[in-house]
Amino acid sequence: MTSAFDAIAFARALINIDSTTGQEAEAGQWLARELRGLGYTVVEQPVDRARANVFAMIDAPAVVFSAHYDCVPPFFPSRIEDGRLYGRGACDAKGILAAQVAAAERLRARGERRVGLLFVVGEERGSDGAAMANAMPAPGARFLINGEPTDNRLGTATRGVLRLQLRAVGRAAHSATPEHGESAIDKLIDALVLLRSLPLPSDPELGSTFYSVGLIEGGVAPNVISPHASAEVLFRTIGPAEDILRAIRPVDRFVTSEEILRVPQVTLHTVPGFPTAVFPFTTDVPFLNRWGAPLLFGPGSILVAHTSHEHVEIAELDRAVEAYEQLATACLTSA
């Protein structure tokens, strides 16, 4: 017996709803309605007044598929072209979500009813949906199969994140008399240049720590010595965040730092017979540790996620449905 569920149609309908992080309400309502229509018992887990995670099950699940349905901006709708499904969320992660529902439906058609579905908000901006879900895990869940674009490879580990805001304080003065002021922008630049030269932690499997400066702000006017300046720096970590905080202490002579976000690196469960890889990004997995041993797998490439040409190969998405079915079966066998 096979399922008649159409993963591509499901994915396109969901992609066509703008669920940029913070605006997930309509997409969550659509998901809950569609899953109830398929016969699932659905619980909507409020995250704030407008947004909710969606948890669906038939019987008490031993294995749970999970994905996020929020997306980065800007929104753009779906289209199919040259064997590819395009649209915001096509691979990160609405196409993945659709493949997981398709796999759950195939398993149910075979009589396997112990597979749940957990779809969360907020992954792109700090995983607040996952953190809320972790407060109400499914009793008896042994494995969590999280979906992110991994080119249909199982993750063995992912990096963590440490996001810091660096702040410099100066003293305003007329730019014609700079000796009477103190430039916060100059201090911030000195800190960022120094940061480039500092040795950061490394790991034989995960590689070296790297970082990006994502935001810079400072000054009040072109002809005023800047009294304030700040930058947000995001480190992709390979171990304890404290190791990075110790390594960058030399910048303290120019700036103060405030920790904005910390996500640990994780080691993941694997299943024999699947290609594996280490991934440099982070996921909801560290925030869902009460949902069972984590696996990470999904169609699509991180290289096109968050871009203006985000897409997933339809053939790859079809293969992912079969792979999710195989992964769940292997986990259920050992549960």
Side-chain angles (χ1 to χ4, degrees):
M1 185 176 179
T2 59
S3 167
F5 180 81
D6 188 336
I8 301 302
F10 192 93
R12 291 197 68 182
L14 184 56
I15 290 168
N16 288 337
I17 302 171
D18 182 359
S19 60
T20 303
T21 308
Q23 303 176 40
E24 301 100 322
E26 182 184 353
Q29 293 162 8
W30 182 91
L31 272 173
R33 185 169 60 249
E34 291 296 311
L35 293 171
R36 287 190 179 105
L38 289 170
Y40 289 86
T41 298
V42 176
V43 177
E44 295 169 78
Q45 304 171 343
V47 175
D48 55 34
R49 292 181 62 184
R51 305 179 301 148
N53 300 327
V54 177
F55 174 55
M57 65 180 183
I58 301 296
D59 293 343
V63 173
V64 175
F65 289 124
S66 74
H68 64 92
Y69 65 92
D70 68 311
C71 300
V72 298
F75 166 77
F76 59 98
S78 71
R79 73 180 193 276
I80 292 177
E81 184 178 311
D82 298 328
R84 295 172 172 174
L85 172 61
Y86 286 83
R88 180 58 76 217
C91 73
D92 190 18
K94 294 179 177 181
I96 289 170
L97 184 157
Q100 292 179 337
V101 177
E105 285 295 281
R106 284 191 185 184
L107 289 159
R108 182 156 63 127
R110 287 170 28 199
E112 180 52 75
R113 299 162 58 91
R114 296 173 296 159
V115 176
L117 300 164
L118 176 66
F119 302 135
V120 301
V121 301
E123 189 271 348
E124 299 291 1
R125 294 295 299 272
S127 295
D128 54 344
M132 178 62 71
N134 213 36
M136 48 187 83
R142 294 281 308 281
F143 295 94
L144 180 86
I145 304 175
N146 186 244
E148 290 286 355
T150 67
D151 300 292
N152 277 353
R153 296 174 291 173
L154 269 177
T156 58
T158 60
R159 286 175 179 260
V161 159
L162 176 66
R163 194 166 101 218
L164 301 177
Q165 184 169 60
L166 307 183
R167 291 194 182 95
V169 177
R171 185 174 64 254
H174 196 291
S175 60
T177 58
E179 68 277 10
H180 293 285
E182 189 177 9
S183 172
I185 288 177
D186 284 353
K187 289 182 179 180
L188 180 63
I189 291 171
D190 288 342
L192 294 176
V193 170
L194 175 59
L195 186 59
R196 287 183 179 180
S197 67
L198 298 177
L200 298 174
S202 62
D203 176 86
E205 183 182 18
L206 290 170
S208 298
T209 302
F210 59 88
Y211 70 90
S212 57
V213 181
L215 294 170
I216 290 182
E217 179 276 333
V220 294
N223 58 346
V224 176
I225 302 300
S226 58
H228 56 76
S230 65
E232 286 207 21
V233 183
L234 191 149
F235 295 87
R236 296 289 178 173
T237 64
I238 50 82
E242 286 76 14
D243 293 347
I244 293 173
L245 296 174
R246 282 192 293 269
I248 68 169
R249 278 178 185 163
V251 305
D252 291 350
R253 69 177 186 265
F254 300 114
V255 295
T256 61
S257 64
E258 177 187 358
E259 186 173 317
I260 306 298
L261 177 67
R262 180 187 298 207
V263 181
Q265 65 91 19
V266 294
T267 300
L268 298 153
H269 184 76
T270 57
V271 171
F274 284 82
T276 60
V278 172
F279 293 101
F281 51 81
T282 190
T283 71
D284 277 331
V285 165
F287 299 95
L288 293 169
N289 62 319
R290 298 179 66 194
W291 285 77
L295 294 82
L296 183 68
F297 181 92
S301 170
I302 193 67
L303 298 179
V304 298
H306 298 194
T307 71
S308 60
H309 56 280
E310 181 176 349
H311 66 270
V312 62
E313 299 280 348
I314 291 175
E316 185 179 352
L317 193 147
D318 289 340
R319 291 192 296 272
V321 176
E322 182 177 354
Y324 278 130
E325 186 180 4
Q326 293 170 350
L327 288 169
T329 299
C331 291
L332 287 163
T333 300
S334 64

